[in-house]
């Protein structure tokens, strides 16, 4: 690896171990085994390096989940079973990547003071909507058309954020894939029910 790759690897390690705000340029240089000057040369600033490392870490998480979902898809399973399995795998990934999710929430809490991060988060969220939609399409969930895909992707993004918060704070009582599938069945039934009792 060259200095640039070493810096990214060192920055990711620091994000996992210390979080965003507590990581210094010296921490990254030490973890990467390079000089402080290398940060400015390759990334202009510590912030640009950390932002790049965080983005790369989130991409790696998405690729890992996609691999897990496509590895052993059984064509005999029902859409509900695939939905449950998909969420169980997403939830299981939170443990392996807990530190990076904590860092995400650390940054969201400071977003009003970090306008450059807001721009990056907006771009990442837009890409995440499509990515989540594609991920659940692997699980048999389809949404035809760009607008429908955006709406459904936004819904999955909302669910992901909510489950993640519950898992970070109280994993013992956070919902499972089965809980989420059952909740959707109940909600869909309530929405479809006609309060006037008409057919």
């Amino acid at each position: 690896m060259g200095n640039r790759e070493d810096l990214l690897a060192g920055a990711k390690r620091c994000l996992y171990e210390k979080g965003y705000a507590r990581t210094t340029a010296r921490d990254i240089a030490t973890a990467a085994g390079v000089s402080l000057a290398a940060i400015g040369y390759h990334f202009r600033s510590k912030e640009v390096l950390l932002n790049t490392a965080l983005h790369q870490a989130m991409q790696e998480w998405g690729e890992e989940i996609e691999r897990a979902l496509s590895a052993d898809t059984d064509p005999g399973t029902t859409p509900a079973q695939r939905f449950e399995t998909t969420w169980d795998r997403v939830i299981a990934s939170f443990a392996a990547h807990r530190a990076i999710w904590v860092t995400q929430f650390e940054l969201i809490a400071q977003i009003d003071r970090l306008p450059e991060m807001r721009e990056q988060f907006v771009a990442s969220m837009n890409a995440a909507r499509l990515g989540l939609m594609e991920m659940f399409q692997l699980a048999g969930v389809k949404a035809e058309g760009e607008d429908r895909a955006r709406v459904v992707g936004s819904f999955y993004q909302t669910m992901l954020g909510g489950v993640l918060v519950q898992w970070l704070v109280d994993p013992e009582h956070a919902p499972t894939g089965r809980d989420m599938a059952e909740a959707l069945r109940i909600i869909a039934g309530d929405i479809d029910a006609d309060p006037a009792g008409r057919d």
Side-chain angles (χ1 to χ4, degrees), residues 118-128:
R118 180 184 295 277
E119 291 176 16
Q120 185 171 338
F121 265 80
V122 167
S124 294
M125 287 176 73
N126 289 334

Side-chain angles (χ1 to χ4, degrees), residues 62 65-66 115 123 129 163:
I65 290 294
E66 193 172 317
R129 289 184 189 107
V163 173

Side-chain angles (χ1 to χ4, degrees), residues 119-181:
E119 291 176 16
Q120 185 171 338
F121 265 80
V122 167
S124 294
M125 287 176 73
N126 289 334
R129 289 184 189 107
L130 179 59
L132 285 167
M133 186 61 245
E134 289 173 351
M135 183 168 70
F136 278 92
Q137 282 183 326
L138 285 175
V141 178
K142 304 295 182 189
E144 300 298 333
E146 186 177 331
D147 193 52
R148 285 170 60 92
R150 180 190 59 77
V151 169
V152 174
S154 294
F155 180 71
Y156 283 124
Q157 193 173 47
T158 301
M159 290 175 68
L160 178 71
V163 173
L164 180 57
V165 168
Q166 292 180 64
W167 186 88
L168 288 173
V169 175
D170 185 14
E172 186 179 341
H173 297 103
T176 64
R178 177 169 291 182
D179 294 335
M180 295 173 73

Side-chain angles (χ1 to χ4, degrees), residues 41-186:
Y41 177 78
H42 289 285
F43 292 95
R44 297 191 321 274
S45 70
K46 175 194 82 168
E47 289 72 25
V48 171
L49 170 54
L50 283 174
N51 297 349
T52 304
L54 180 61
H55 181 72
Q56 192 176 83
M58 293 309 299
Q59 281 185 314
E60 289 167 1
W61 172 82
E63 290 165 4
E64 178 184 313
I65 290 294
E66 193 172 317
R67 279 193 301 274
L69 292 176
S70 59
D72 57 349
T73 51
D74 180 354
T77 59
T78 67
Q81 290 169 326
R82 287 194 296 270
F83 180 91
E84 289 177 23
T85 301
T86 299
W87 276 109
D88 283 338
R89 289 178 181 174
V90 169
I91 291 164
S93 79
F94 293 163
H97 298 277
R98 179 185 175 89
I100 214 71
W101 288 111
V102 170
T103 298
Q104 288 267 56
F105 281 100
E106 174 190 348
L107 289 169
I108 290 168
Q110 302 175 51
I111 203 74
D112 287 341
R113 294 186 295 278
L114 300 168
E116 71 286 352
M117 282 305 297
R118 180 184 295 277
E119 291 176 16
Q120 185 171 338
F121 265 80
V122 167
S124 294
M125 287 176 73
N126 289 334
R129 289 184 189 107
L130 179 59
L132 285 167
M133 186 61 245
E134 289 173 351
M135 183 168 70
F136 278 92
Q137 282 183 326
L138 285 175
V141 178
K142 304 295 182 189
E144 300 298 333
E146 186 177 331
D147 193 52
R148 285 170 60 92
R150 180 190 59 77
V151 169
V152 174
S154 294
F155 180 71
Y156 283 124
Q157 193 173 47
T158 301
M159 290 175 68
L160 178 71
V163 173
L164 180 57
V165 168
Q166 292 180 64
W167 186 88
L168 288 173
V169 175
D170 185 14
E172 186 179 341
H173 297 103
T176 64
R178 177 169 291 182
D179 294 335
M180 295 173 73
E182 181 59 22
L184 275 182
R185 287 187 197 97
I186 294 167

